[in-house]
Amino acid sequence: MGTKTAEAAGNKAGDEVDTVDEQTAGTEAEESTPEAADADVETGADSEAGPAAEETAAKASTGVGQGAAAVVSAALGLVSLTGSWVGTVGQARDSLYGQLEVASGSSVATQIKQIYADSWNVNALVAGLFALAALIVGVVVLVRPAFGNPDRVQVPWIKSVAWAGVSLGFIGLLLAAAKYSDLILAMPST
């Protein structure tokens, strides 16, 4: 008996939903008549929403490239500080060349310079190139709005990430120059 009552309640609820759907469909059909469309045109409801929606879409789409460039700038700055695969390979390769060039009877100072110092300088040079790239990309992202449409405002997170890239690039460039010139982490003297 409980099952029949539940089925009857379900059927009754289903009939009520169908009735509401029919009433809504009738209302929607009335609103979509040509007279309703003319009324919307007269009030200007669609004409104001159209350009505003297009402008919002245009503003949203223009920040994608700048956002990507800002992230690339920050990533390059981080790579300049932590090291890269390119720098490690360059350092190992220069170390190998140094080992091949050093004669067996060479002095310790010559061996240190050929095997370690030159390869260390290659690693510092690669880190400096990554830092310089981060600095340039970050600055380009920050000054880009000055050369574009003055009505378009750069999204704040893009500025923040670009500033992070510029900062990391600047720090990376200073550290690379200090490593290359032996101001920090200098090779031992003999």
Side-chain angles (χ1 to χ4, degrees):
M1 181 154 190
T3 307
K4 289 183 181 179
T5 307
E7 288 177 7
N11 288 339
K12 186 175 180 183
D15 292 338
E16 290 175 6
V17 170
D18 290 340
T19 306
V20 171
D21 287 343
E22 289 171 5
Q23 291 173 352
T24 306
T27 308
E28 290 174 359
E30 291 171 5
E31 290 176 358
S32 64
T33 60
E35 293 84 19
D38 290 339
D40 286 343
V41 170
E42 288 174 9
T43 59
D46 288 338
S47 63
E48 290 178 17
E54 290 175 8
E55 184 178 324
T56 303
K59 284 183 180 179
S61 66
T62 58
V64 173
Q66 291 180 18
V71 170
V72 166
S73 172
L76 287 171
L78 190 62
V79 167
S80 75
L81 293 176
T82 60
S84 68
W85 178 80
V86 176
T88 303
V89 169
Q91 183 177 6
R93 186 174 180 181
D94 199 75
S95 178
L96 179 64
Y97 283 140
Q99 290 174 5
L100 294 173
E101 291 174 358
V102 171
S104 59
S106 299
S107 68
V108 173
T110 304
Q111 289 178 4
I112 289 175
K113 182 187 178 313
Q114 290 290 330
I115 298 172
Y116 300 108
D118 290 347
S119 64
W120 179 253
N121 289 341
V122 167
N123 194 350
L125 183 64
V126 171
L129 291 175
F130 274 100
L132 185 62
L135 195 61
I136 290 171
V137 172
V139 167
V140 167
V141 170
L142 289 172
V143 300
R144 170 66 177 96
F147 298 105
N149 187 349
D151 294 335
R152 295 185 189 196
V153 178
Q154 194 174 43
V155 182
W157 73 266
I158 294 175
K159 287 182 181 179
S160 298
V161 175
W163 274 113
V166 168
S167 301
L168 289 171
F170 182 74
I171 292 168
L173 198 57
L174 287 178
L175 288 176
K179 282 192 324 186
Y180 191 83
S181 62
D182 290 337
L183 289 176
I184 58 170
L185 303 171
M187 288 292 140
S189 59
T190 55

